[in-house]
Amino acid sequence: MEDQKLRSDAQQIFREILNQPNLVIQDALTANDVSGWDSISHMDLLVALEDYFRIKFTTAEISRLKNIGDLLSLIRQKVC
């Protein structure tokens, strides 16, 4: 999958789950930077991303994520 398509698709999921239609995801973005991104919405995001990209995250993978850039890199590894 092309990087721009992956980012665009992930951004749409973030916008829908976090109910923020104008959200622009950046690599350095974290939950602390986005209003409404709490532990419950975090799990909703991960499940939605797994469903959309037809992948599965392990607990260890999730615990290593520091920001959106890490998450996109992990998705990229799993879809290729």
Side-chain angles (χ1 to χ4, degrees):
M1 173 176 279
E2 186 178 308
D3 282 351
Q4 188 57 36
K5 170 95 170 104
L6 185 146
R7 181 177 294 275
S8 174
D9 292 350
Q11 180 169 272
Q12 188 58 38
I13 292 167
F14 271 78
R15 287 176 174 179
E16 290 173 11
I17 299 292
L18 298 174
N19 195 28
Q20 295 206 20
N22 298 318
L23 179 67
V24 176
I25 59 171
Q26 302 292 328
D27 285 348
L29 198 69
T30 68
N32 293 331
D33 301 321
V34 181
S35 175
W37 186 353
D38 58 18
S39 59
I40 303 239
S41 59
H42 187 76
M43 295 309 299
D44 291 342
L45 281 166
L46 293 174
V47 169
L49 290 164
E50 285 180 326
D51 288 346
Y52 182 83
F53 290 106
R54 295 188 172 132
I55 58 175
K56 289 291 180 195
F57 299 119
T58 67
T59 304
E61 290 169 336
I62 293 169
S63 69
R64 288 192 295 267
L65 298 175
K66 294 183 177 91
N67 55 40
I68 295 286
D70 290 348
L71 177 59
L72 294 178
S73 291
L74 179 58
I75 293 170
R76 195 173 299 110
Q77 290 170 17
K78 289 182 170 286
V79 297
C80 293

